[in-house]
């Protein structure tokens, strides 16, 4: 395999942060020696998450075996996933905001037609449903565990307890028509064909759409981690991957 130098578009502070967490992990495990130091393990992991490089590509580039590359990446993902803020912590933060935005996204996965639970009729593809909460400026605050793509947004939000948590905290939340019937503090556009709505209802829906458009910024930011554009791993690992990427995103945002 041809190997060449390449770059990863994440900040050096993010690299230092991940390296520090990995060093702590090694001290806790009592690790004496490994093929790669924590300072070399960190860029290997970031290249996988940010660029979507395969284990074989990374193994060749870093001079380790494919199994070793997989083990290093899995370890780091588990370390990062454990640092992800909980829904309760995010709702506490959200209570200081004027409102939050809620939306769902489908993360495409490598599955065949027989895997019906993962097929989203809305998107016409197989994937995993992830719910996203952002602040009023569209900055990502939280991403939920992944559910099969056949699960609708309203069911996913209820499964994760998002609606109840926001309502109990009195946090107003803007969402789209996919959350019809949510109740609580979830604010939705008026339902019905555009021509059947009154002028006042149309004005409300236009304003609602402008506010909700900001959530697309968070979706785009999340998918700058190119591994999420086409997941080829076991579906049981996708939640940990999303949580790890959320941690890295929040680290990038906070550290610049």
């Amino acid at each position: 395999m041809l190997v060449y130098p390449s770059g990863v578009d994440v900040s050096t502070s993010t690299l230092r942060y991940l390296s520090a967490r990995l060093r702590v992990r090694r001290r806790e495990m009592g690790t004496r020696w490994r093929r790669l130091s924590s300072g070399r393990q960190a860029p290997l992991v970031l290249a996988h998450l940010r660029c979507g490089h395969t284990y074989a590509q990374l193994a060749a580039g870093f001079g380790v075996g494919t199994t070793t590359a997989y083990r290093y990446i899995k370890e780091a993902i588990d370390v990062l996933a454990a640092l992800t803020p909980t829904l309760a912590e995010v709702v506490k933060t959200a209570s200081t905001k004027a409102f939050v935005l809620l939306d769902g996204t489908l993360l495409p996965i490598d599955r065949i037609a027989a895997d019906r639970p993962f097929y989203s009729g809305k998107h016409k593809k197989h994937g995993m449903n992830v719910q996203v909460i952002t602040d009023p400026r569209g900055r990502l605050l939280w991403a939920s565990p992944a559910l099969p793509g056949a699960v609708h947004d309203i069911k996913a939000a209820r499964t994760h307890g998002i609606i109840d948590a926001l309502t109990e905290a009195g946090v107003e939340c803007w969402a789209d028509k996919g959350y019809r019937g949510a109740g609580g503090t979830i604010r939705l556009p008026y339902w019905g064909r555009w021509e059947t709505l009154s002028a006042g209802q149309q004005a409300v829906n236009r304003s609602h759409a402008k506010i909700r458009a900001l959530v697309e910024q968070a979706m785009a930011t999340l998918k700058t981690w190119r591994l999420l554009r086409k997941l080829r791993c076991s579906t049981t690992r996708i939640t940990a991957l999303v949580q790890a990427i959320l941690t890295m995103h929040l680290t990038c945002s906070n550290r610049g």
Side-chain angles (χ1 to χ4, degrees), residues 128-164:
M128 300 294 284
N129 180 304
V130 172
Q131 299 294 297
V132 170
I133 296 176
T134 78
D135 69 8
R137 296 185 179 182
R139 293 177 297 197
L140 184 64
L141 296 177
W142 185 75
S144 75
L147 293 175
V151 177
H152 295 288
D153 284 340
I154 180 63
K155 182 177 179 180
R158 286 173 173 158
T159 299
H160 298 309
I162 298 171
I163 298 170
D164 289 341

Side-chain angles (χ1 to χ4, degrees), residues 167-194:
T167 300
E168 289 173 9
V171 178
E172 289 197 350
C173 174
W174 266 250
D176 63 20
K177 294 178 181 178
Y179 298 88
R180 187 183 183 192
T185 55
I186 308 299
R187 301 187 63 172
L188 306 174
Y190 285 102
W191 185 269
R193 296 177 63 87
W194 183 259

Side-chain angles (χ1 to χ4, degrees), residues 73-137:
I73 291 169
K74 182 180 183 300
E75 176 187 48
I77 287 172
D78 290 341
V79 167
L80 292 170
L83 301 172
T84 306
T86 64
L87 177 60
E89 292 170 339
V90 170
V91 170
K92 184 177 180 180
T93 300
S95 64
T96 65
K97 312 290 185 182
F99 60 89
V100 295
L101 304 172
L102 171 65
D103 201 0
T105 187
L106 187 80
L107 303 180
I109 61 174
D110 187 15
R111 285 295 181 272
I112 60 175
D115 295 319
R116 298 301 298 177
F118 300 99
Y119 185 78
S120 169
K122 175 182 177 181
H123 297 90
K124 308 300 182 185
K125 65 176 69 173
H126 292 81
M128 300 294 284
N129 180 304
V130 172
Q131 299 294 297
V132 170
I133 296 176
T134 78
D135 69 8
R137 296 185 179 182

Side-chain angles (χ1 to χ4, degrees), residues 8-23 38-39 41-43 45-47 49-50 80 225 244-256:
V8 182
D9 56 341
V10 296
S11 64
T12 55
S13 61
T14 301
L15 175 63
R16 290 195 296 269
Y17 172 80
L18 179 55
S19 298
R21 301 309 307 180
L22 292 174
R23 282 195 295 272
S38 57
Q41 181 182 358
V45 174
L46 290 174
L49 296 178
R50 190 71 171 184
L80 292 170
W225 298 84
I245 288 172
L246 175 62
T247 298
M248 297 309 302
H249 167 74
L250 295 177
T251 300
C252 290
S253 299
N254 294 335
R255 293 169 181 256

